[in-house]
């Protein structure tokens, strides 16, 4: 554990606190969504992780996991919905609509399993 040092400021001793270095990689969409969920619905857990210095690594892990799961789910959902390359060539607007529906379904699953749990 780090030893805490203090500076004299008048009659008071002020702790010399330092922040961890800023992360090199910004949070993605799903990491930010998890952060918002924790702030609003689990403030004690959020503050505990923030003070322990584990919050950002947790958020990065959730973001990476969510993106990986989305990449793995989308081809199967698109296949089940009938969003094929032939449909893409024949009717691009219908294909886009099906793909948007598939992405919404996948994100709903991710929200339930990773973000809001």
């Amino acid at each position: 554990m780090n030893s805490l040092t203090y500076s004299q400021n008048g009659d008071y001793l002020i702790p010399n606190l330092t922040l961890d270095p800023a992360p090199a990689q910004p949070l993605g969409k799903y990491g930010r969504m998890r952060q918002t969920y924790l702030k609003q619905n689990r403030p004690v857990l959020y503050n505990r992780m923030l003070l322990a210095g584990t919050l950002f690594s947790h958020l990065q892990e959730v973001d990476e996991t969510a993106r990986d799961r989305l990449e793995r789910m989308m081809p199967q959902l698109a296949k089940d919905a009938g969003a094929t390359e032939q449909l893409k060539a024949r009717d691009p607007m219908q294909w886009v609509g099906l793909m948007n529906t598939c992405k919404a379904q996948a994100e709903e699953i991710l929200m339930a399993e990773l973000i809001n749990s």
Side-chain angles (χ1 to χ4, degrees), residues 13-60:
L13 288 175
I14 307 295
N16 298 322
L17 301 176
T18 58
L19 294 174
D20 291 336
Q25 181 180 355
L27 282 176
K29 172 184 177 179
Y30 302 107
R32 290 190 311 269
M33 291 168 77
R34 175 70 174 165
Q35 182 179 26
T36 301
Y37 170 78
L38 289 174
K39 265 186 185 178
Q40 293 176 353
N41 300 298
R42 308 280 306 275
V44 174
L45 177 61
Y46 175 82
N47 286 325
R48 186 180 324 141
M49 293 174 77
L50 181 63
L51 293 173
T54 60
L55 178 64
F56 191 76
S57 62
H58 169 73
L59 297 175
Q60 277 188 320

Side-chain angles (χ1 to χ4, degrees), residues 4-16:
L4 195 57
T5 60
Y6 295 87
S7 299
Q8 185 79 29
N9 188 356
D11 292 337
Y12 300 101
L13 288 175
I14 307 295
N16 298 322

